[in-house]
Amino acid sequence: MNAMFFLKRSTLAITLAGVLAMPATGMADTHTPLPVRAQSLVDEVTPQVISWRQDIHQHPELGNRETRTAGLVAEHLTSLGMQVRTEIAHTGVVGILKGAKEGPVVALRADMDALPVTEETGLPFASRVRTEYNGEEVGVAHACGHDMHVAILMGAAQVLAEMKDELAGTIIFVFQPAEEGAPKGEEGGAALMLKEGLFADLKPDAMFGLHVMTSPLGEISVRTQGQLASSDQLNITIKGKQTHGGMPWNGVDPIVTASQVVMGLQTITSRQLDVTNTPSVISIGAIKGGVRGNIIPDEVTMEGTIRTFDNNTRDEIHQHIERTAVNIAESAGATAEVKINKGYPATINDTELTNAMAPTLQRIAGDRFREATRSMASEDFAYFASEVPSMYFFLGTKPEGQPLAYPNHSPKFNPDERALPIGVSAMTALVLDYTNSH
């Protein structure tokens, strides 16, 4: 980032901590959330954004199967005069908008896929879709808010396209499939988009993404560095020697060994890692072995998850797990086979970019701007963030006065649509502020 960018922002804040310390009312006295024309365009598109959201919500599609949603997006971007690419990572859509002035390249991202969840919201536009998932018939619902994300980005695309003559630089609108994971045996999501050359010809200088959450309506929160955790699948097989349960000395008990391994794994995060660096979790969620109470089995399998906010710590944890499981098993006369399937990396917000753009988010959110709390959930936006400087933030959708809001992935998840224009404003403002400052 160039010096002019920071000089222009130095009167607002240089760090996220500085922004959080500033009174929101003071900023409101001297700053409007958006330029007048941009705000007018957001107001105009809001009813259409709500309509898009409800339509997409009523017709959800699982990962790598978002054909209807992709068609809706592609048609809209084409109508705005953009250069449009389709079928990236199966169903991904990318629109490119070139402003009238020279400037940086900025990417905005929305994920499109729904979840294998049967909706229980009772909304008039609730999903009644059913399909097959991993060999089972399931309901399909936008229980994570990706319908909101798509509608917000479609709205921001329309606002920015109508401001093309005033716009500096190039904007890449990335509509991504399969954030929740590709079907078994398939690749998908952000990693596949990058593999298929998403940024091969045009690499962004900065990238932004958002996620709706059940925080208070209109709250915008962000943090530097690790915001969402990495997610890795852990499988451990303990092999012993089968024997009669009344004569355990004639065999090697893999159940007792597995229990010792479970306890040993907990000492990794509490005793073997520097806990001041980042929070980390190792959890075993399933243990399977044996068929009846008086037979000690040959084998026990364990399944779990590994979460951390730092990708170097992630690699260190993997090494400790292997050593702990293998050595505990050996001490019991058993063996341990450890398999770790890497999932999404930690989502790391670029410190310089986040500190620079925090004033923009605060201007949109006012006194509802917060430093985000870390979440142990994971996101494949992390792959984009590993390629280009990126910032990922949360948008609150819990209705005011409502004591309970069902969380993301609940069959009753029902975000407040009044958050939609706030999301459009935030995405629009980030583009305008970033491009005008370079």
Side-chain angles (χ1 to χ4, degrees):
M1 296 188 177
N2 60 35
M4 182 180 295
F5 182 61
F6 283 99
L7 285 171
K8 288 185 177 182
R9 293 194 173 274
S10 63
T11 57
L12 296 177
I14 293 300
T15 67
L16 181 58
V19 175
L20 290 164
M22 298 181 68
T25 53
M27 292 192 68
D29 292 338
T30 56
H31 296 83
T32 55
L34 280 173
V36 174
R37 180 159 186 255
Q39 186 61 59
S40 176
L41 291 169
V42 171
D43 293 341
E44 288 177 16
V45 80
T46 293
Q48 183 63 63
V49 171
I50 294 171
S51 178
W52 283 325
R53 184 262 165 160
Q54 294 183 1
D55 178 64
I56 295 166
H57 186 92
Q58 196 168 18
H59 301 92
E61 298 167 301
L62 296 179
N64 286 357
R65 306 292 186 270
E66 308 94 336
T67 52
R68 183 185 184 277
T69 307
L72 180 69
V73 168
E75 181 180 8
H76 177 59
L77 299 183
T78 300
S79 74
L80 297 174
M82 294 190 195
Q83 175 187 339
V84 178
R85 295 173 57 196
T86 61
E87 298 182 359
I88 305 172
H90 302 291
T91 54
V93 180
V94 174
I96 298 175
L97 175 65
K98 293 187 178 181
K101 307 171 187 177
E102 292 295 320
V105 179
V106 179
L108 304 176
R109 176 268 205 165
D111 37 8
M112 302 189 294
D113 55 324
L115 286 163
V117 170
T118 300
E119 183 167 347
E120 299 176 7
T121 62
L123 292 168
F125 52 90
S127 167
R128 293 176 175 80
V129 174
R130 297 191 68 79
T131 191
E132 184 178 295
Y133 178 73
N134 290 339
E136 297 182 27
E137 185 182 346
V138 295
V140 185
H142 272 292
C144 199
H146 296 184
D147 53 337
M148 301 276 282
H149 303 169
V150 175
I152 285 170
L153 193 53
M154 290 174 72
Q158 182 160 323
V159 172
L160 291 166
E162 294 192 33
M163 298 184 69
K164 179 179 177 180
D165 291 343
E166 308 166 39
L167 193 62
T170 301
I171 316 304
I172 307 174
F173 298 91
V174 179
F175 291 85
Q176 179 213 306
E179 187 281 323
E180 300 287 356
K184 286 183 180 179
E186 298 181 21
E187 293 182 90
L192 186 57
M193 292 190 88
L194 291 167
K195 182 179 178 180
E196 293 185 358
L198 174 63
F199 298 144
D201 300 323
L202 188 65
K203 190 169 185 177
D205 298 294
M207 189 167 189
F208 303 105
L210 65 77
H211 205 297
V212 296
M213 303 292 281
T214 51
S215 50
L217 178 64
E219 180 178 287
I220 294 178
S221 58
V222 71
R223 68 180 300 122
T224 57
Q225 291 300 296
Q227 180 148 324
L228 290 158
S230 59
S231 175
D232 299 324
Q233 182 181 0
L234 172 63
N235 292 275
I236 302 175
T237 300
I238 305 294
K239 293 184 178 180
K241 182 181 178 182
Q242 185 167 315
T243 188
H244 195 289
M247 294 174 279
W249 54 86
N250 287 332
V252 176
D253 191 336
I255 293 179
V256 170
T257 304
S259 67
Q260 292 172 333
V261 169
V262 171
M263 298 306 297
L265 294 178
Q266 303 314 303
T267 68
I268 294 174
T269 57
S270 66
R271 292 293 181 270
Q272 299 178 46
L273 297 177
D274 184 347
V275 297
T276 64
N277 286 340
T278 185
S280 303
V281 167
I282 304 170
S283 293
I284 298 298
I287 300 179
K288 302 172 185 177
V291 294
R292 57 181 292 166
N294 67 345
I295 301 174
I296 292 173
D298 271 328
E299 184 176 290
V300 170
T301 60
M302 305 154 60
E303 299 176 22
T305 188
I306 310 162
R307 309 272 170 146
T308 189
F309 295 97
D310 176 81
N311 290 321
N312 291 326
T313 301
R314 180 192 195 192
D315 293 335
E316 188 178 355
I317 289 174
H318 293 179
Q319 295 170 11
H320 284 299
I321 289 174
E322 175 84 21
R323 182 182 68 188
T324 299
V326 168
N327 288 345
I328 287 176
E330 185 179 358
S331 71
T335 62
E337 181 183 349
V338 178
K339 292 183 180 178
I340 297 173
N341 296 318
K342 281 192 171 184
Y344 299 160
T347 299
I348 308 294
N349 281 340
D350 183 84
T351 299
E352 190 176 34
L353 178 66
T354 304
N355 285 336
M357 301 311 298
T360 298
L361 295 180
Q362 187 184 38
R363 198 174 71 243
I364 298 300
D367 61 4
R368 295 198 171 188
F369 178 70
R370 300 282 186 272
E371 182 174 20
T373 302
R374 290 186 177 105
S375 171
M376 279 290 179
S378 60
E379 240 282 0
D380 75 348
F381 186 84
Y383 292 113
F384 296 133
S386 68
E387 291 290 320
V388 297
S390 298
M391 184 181 77
Y392 190 81
F393 62 97
F394 297 143
L395 172 62
T397 62
K398 177 180 177 289
E400 292 179 326
Q402 182 173 308
L404 175 66
Y406 291 99
N408 303 61
H409 289 217
S410 164
K412 296 184 179 181
F413 178 68
N414 183 18
D416 194 317
E417 290 180 336
R418 288 177 292 177
L420 289 168
I422 301 171
V424 176
S425 294
M427 287 297 213
T428 300
L430 288 169
V431 169
L432 295 178
D433 284 6
Y434 187 88
T435 56
N436 289 333
S437 300
H438 281 67

